[in-house]
Amino acid sequence: MRDYLKEYGIQPYINAHDTITLYGASRVAQNTKEAADQISGCFVDIPELQRILGERIAELTHNEAAYIANCSSGAIQLCAAVCLAGGDDFAYKCLPDTLGRPDEIIILHSQHNCYDKALESAGAKIRIIGDADEVLEFDLKASITEKTAAVFYCPASIYRRGSLPLSRVAEIAHEKGVPVIVDAAAQLPPVENLWKFTAQGGDMVIFSGGKTLCGPQTSGLIVGKKEYIEDCRRFGAPNHGICRSSKASKESMIGLCVAIENYMNMDHTENGRRLSARVDEMILAMKECPLYQPYRVEHGSVGQSYPRAFAQIREPHTVSEVVLAMKEKHIFIGADAMENAIYLSPLNLTEEECHIVCKALREVGEKLSGQEEERRA
């Protein structure tokens, strides 16, 4: 078989960091690749494909309806456009000019982040309410006016302390006829989150297709109420308008559907045991080296239910030294500057790769510790 990576000079890495876009998110299963390859060799009616796969995904994930977007950011833009247009085709075609229609999207202060730009790209004006410490019910009630098009909510654990619960936000918004968009891009596992946020009142809930779902990297998922998903179908690509550039390929669409089937059929208890065992193996490897002070953290970066291996780095060595040394061995790991620690996620590691990572951690630890002993001598 022709080795394209070698031929083009592309260096593959082991991803012990996280399912982040910078590294390609996650790896897809064989049947996902087969489905994408199969559809790549033929032509289909894209709107029909979108509906068929959306209905299948909605059934799998216990939701009213589903839509396949090109990524989470593209999904956010489309959801914003749906709310700004209010079901009006002419209003959608004019975006990002909102024609004097309601164009404010409310964001809780502690949830304000870089992904807000996808809302603005559709023509929305961001209205931040409350403060970083807390948002009270009267903040939200008083902020919903005739200018409000939607409320945008992020359920990540890092924002939880200063936020109102999603269920209460949805209740207040719905009392005034305002929809709620939920950015749950990285909120898996647990699997129940695929229907939990819609049950709590989210009208359109967004998940990344290329992270824990292990679908194609350029795929995203919107689940929610039928009326809003129908507007996603009416306004989303291949239809013309502001979201035309957020095009999901037929390969990504069928690939995500198969990936979701895989995820729903997975033994999540057994997968949790497997992830935990790999974290234990990495911690044990770091315990052998005086450079590291290892410990477990029982959640992902935004509160997902899987463990990670952390280790504080003993002075005079730094986290950046270790991260760079591991990258030189073609392994990505994470850095937590607040804790002066490295961290490693088991999500993207095979059993063999976990052994390689452990070996590399020992080698880096021995090398840096040996340098310190030489300096002391």
Side-chain angles (χ1 to χ4, degrees):
M1 181 184 293
R2 185 175 172 186
D3 189 338
Y4 292 99
L5 298 187
K6 185 176 181 180
E7 183 177 330
Y8 296 154
I10 299 169
Q11 175 62 57
Y13 287 79
I14 291 173
N15 181 6
H17 185 173
D18 210 336
T19 57
I20 60 177
T21 302
L22 184 63
Y23 308 143
S26 60
R27 53 164 60 93
V28 299
Q30 183 61 33
N31 62 345
T32 303
K33 290 187 283 188
E34 289 171 356
D37 184 60
Q38 188 177 89
I39 206 169
S40 71
C42 64
F43 301 95
V44 295
D45 182 314
I46 293 295
E48 182 182 71
L49 180 69
Q50 182 70 260
R51 185 172 294 277
I52 290 170
L53 297 180
E55 289 174 355
R56 174 62 176 153
I57 292 169
E59 179 185 9
L60 286 167
T61 61
H62 314 298
N63 284 289
E64 285 186 21
Y67 178 89
I68 302 168
N70 68 322
C71 63
S72 296
S73 182
I76 292 170
Q77 183 194 47
L78 177 56
C79 290
V82 164
C83 295
L84 293 170
D88 186 294
D89 292 86
F90 179 74
Y92 170 70
K93 290 293 178 66
C94 291
L95 294 176
D97 184 346
T98 57
L99 306 175
R101 297 174 57 86
D103 62 359
E104 290 185 354
I105 295 185
I106 290 172
I107 296 177
L108 280 61
H109 195 293
S110 67
Q111 298 183 6
H112 178 42
N113 61 57
C114 59
Y115 301 106
D116 300 352
K117 289 298 178 184
L119 301 172
E120 293 179 319
S121 70
K125 294 182 175 67
I126 302 299
R127 182 168 185 181
I128 298 173
I129 66 170
D131 57 45
D133 291 324
E134 62 181 352
V135 176
L136 301 174
E137 288 192 10
F138 67 73
D139 291 318
L140 179 57
K141 289 178 179 178
S143 298
I144 297 177
T145 70
E146 68 281 356
K147 296 180 180 180
T148 306
V151 177
F152 186 65
Y153 191 93
C154 299
S157 61
I158 54 177
Y159 306 137
R160 193 171 295 150
R161 187 180 66 85
S163 301
L164 290 167
L166 172 58
S167 57
R168 187 59 182 138
V169 168
E171 185 178 357
I172 293 169
H174 292 162
E175 285 172 358
K176 300 197 176 186
V178 171
V180 177
I181 304 167
V182 179
D183 178 9
Q187 296 297 313
L188 294 171
V191 63
E192 293 83 7
N193 282 355
L194 284 167
W195 56 90
K196 171 184 171 182
F197 300 127
T198 45
Q200 290 178 344
D203 297 289
M204 289 175 281
V205 180
I206 297 157
F207 294 91
S208 170
K211 294 186 185 296
T212 314
L213 288 173
C214 294
Q217 185 180 3
T218 55
S219 66
L221 174 65
I222 307 171
V223 294
K225 294 196 171 83
K226 284 184 180 179
E227 60 183 293
Y228 294 108
I229 298 301
E230 282 299 325
D231 280 350
C232 288
R233 291 173 181 154
R234 287 171 58 209
F235 299 149
N239 301 298
H240 292 287
I242 196 168
C243 296
R244 167 76 180 187
S245 59
S246 301
K247 184 189 299 181
S249 69
K250 62 184 187 290
E251 294 83 7
S252 286
M253 291 165 67
I254 198 167
L256 179 59
C257 187
V258 173
I260 291 172
E261 286 185 350
N262 290 342
Y263 192 70
M264 296 304 297
N265 291 329
M266 179 190 296
D267 184 335
H268 291 278
T269 301
E270 177 56 33
N271 187 54
R273 291 194 193 100
R274 185 162 52 247
L275 297 178
S276 183
R278 286 175 189 159
V279 168
D280 286 342
E281 184 178 349
M282 289 185 285
I283 287 177
L284 185 61
M286 290 188 287
K287 281 183 177 178
E288 297 176 13
C289 306
L291 176 71
Y292 309 111
Q293 293 178 288
Y295 58 98
R296 281 175 66 108
V297 170
E298 299 297 338
H299 56 78
S301 59
V302 291
Q304 310 100 312
S305 57
Y306 62 85
R308 291 179 293 165
F310 277 67
Q312 289 186 321
I313 303 303
R314 287 189 170 94
E315 295 182 347
H317 297 290
T318 65
V319 167
S320 59
E321 278 184 275
V322 180
V323 170
L324 179 59
M326 291 292 284
K327 187 175 181 181
E328 288 173 348
K329 292 180 175 291
H330 308 135
I331 298 170
F332 292 127
I333 64 172
D336 186 334
M338 293 289 290
E339 298 295 330
N340 187 37
I342 59 168
Y343 65 87
L344 303 98
S345 167
L347 280 182
N348 280 318
L349 295 179
T350 64
E351 184 176 1
E352 180 183 359
E353 287 174 340
C354 189
H355 298 334
I356 294 170
V357 169
C358 289
K359 181 173 182 286
L361 286 168
R362 293 189 194 98
E363 290 173 350
V364 169
E366 289 168 3
K367 179 181 177 181
L368 294 180
S369 297
Q371 289 174 354
E372 180 58 21
E373 289 177 6
E374 287 178 8
R375 280 196 292 266
R376 288 176 180 173

